[in-house]
Amino acid sequence: MKKKMHDHIRTIEAILFMYGREISFTRIADLIGEPEDDVKAHVKKMQEDYELRNAGLRIMITNNIVQMVTHPDVSEVIESITKKEIEGPLTPVSMEVLSIIAYRGPIGKMDIEAIRGVNCSFTLRNLLRRGLIERVDNEAHKRSQSYHVTMDFLRILGVQSVQDLPEFIELSTDKRIDAVLYNEYSNEEEKL
């Protein structure tokens, strides 16, 4: 029983980290196939463990929503890092994610991560803060959001639309990317 609880807590922790923003207990329960009350108990245990260890992260719970956040004591360091990310030049990772969104948007976070092969929560947050991308409701999956580039992004590049980007038609319909995304969807459909 204790091992099973530890496994669920570990899974929930990974979900909170991957999401990088708030998520409902209901959604977590759906994702791990456990009752919502059990999820709440696991999150509460995780929250207590983080506080007991005085960890650099905290679990914030508001109503039926939970989010992994940084500890207030490290806010100056996090603020400094964030400020450098926002004000400094775009990193190669940021450029890559921004390119994926520009050529494939609107596109969901999971699809971006499928293309890149790694988590991109931090990069997406920075691009959002810079005003280069924005979230939009995902029509295909009502419970998720997609990203697309903003008018500011287009203005900075001096183009009227994403179709004016270099090699837009070739890159926006690249079959190798379609294969990555298609395989990702096929694997999800097989699980259902």
Side-chain angles (χ1 to χ4, degrees):
M1 177 71 170
K2 188 145 178 122
K3 182 178 178 349
K4 184 177 179 182
M5 183 174 97
H6 175 74
D7 290 345
H8 289 306
I9 288 173
R10 184 175 55 195
T11 303
I12 293 167
E13 184 177 42
I15 290 168
L16 292 174
F17 176 78
M18 192 242 8
Y19 259 70
R21 63 183 192 279
E22 62 187 34
I23 182 173
S24 70
F25 286 112
T26 305
R27 178 71 175 133
I28 296 171
D30 288 345
L31 289 170
I32 68 170
E34 287 291 311
E36 191 171 326
D37 287 341
D38 290 354
V39 170
K40 287 180 180 179
H42 296 325
V43 169
K44 187 69 178 159
K45 170 78 170 111
M46 190 173 21
Q47 184 183 45
E48 291 167 1
D49 289 346
Y50 276 42
E51 288 176 15
L52 185 65
R53 290 186 293 125
N54 198 27
L57 299 172
R58 287 284 190 252
I59 303 300
M60 191 168 80
I61 302 171
T62 309
N63 299 324
N64 198 35
I65 303 294
V66 61
Q67 182 174 6
M68 183 179 285
V69 298
T70 56
H71 191 291
D73 291 350
V74 298
S75 64
E76 286 183 28
V77 173
I78 300 305
E79 217 173 280
S80 171
I81 293 168
T82 304
K83 187 176 181 179
K84 286 178 186 173
E85 285 290 322
I86 292 172
E87 293 176 354
L90 290 175
T91 64
V93 170
S94 293
M95 293 292 286
E96 183 178 314
V97 171
L98 189 54
S99 296
I100 291 169
I101 295 169
Y103 283 91
R104 286 295 178 143
I107 185 169
K109 179 178 179 281
M110 290 178 62
D111 289 338
I112 297 167
E113 291 173 347
I115 293 168
R116 293 197 64 245
V118 295
N119 184 301
C120 63
S121 296
F122 185 74
T123 304
L124 287 171
R125 271 195 304 268
N126 287 334
L127 292 172
L128 283 164
R129 285 183 179 144
R130 285 178 182 248
L132 298 174
I133 63 170
E134 62 187 355
R135 286 189 189 114
V136 292
D137 290 334
N138 186 337
E139 293 179 19
H141 304 284
K142 297 293 183 197
R143 290 183 147 180
S144 66
Q145 295 180 321
S146 295
Y147 298 89
H148 69 84
V149 294
T150 62
M151 292 298 287
D152 281 345
F153 168 80
L154 298 174
R155 182 183 49 77
I156 290 167
L157 290 181
V159 296
Q160 295 290 319
S161 73
V162 290
Q163 287 85 8
D164 296 332
L165 294 172
E167 301 178 41
F168 179 80
I169 292 177
E170 295 84 6
L171 294 173
S172 66
T173 59
D174 190 302
K175 298 300 180 205
R176 295 169 294 182
I177 300 297
D178 289 342
V180 169
L181 295 175
Y182 177 74
N183 286 337
E184 194 72 15
Y185 291 131
S186 294
N187 293 338
E188 284 179 18
E189 290 171 5
E190 288 171 12
K191 292 176 189 174
L192 301 176

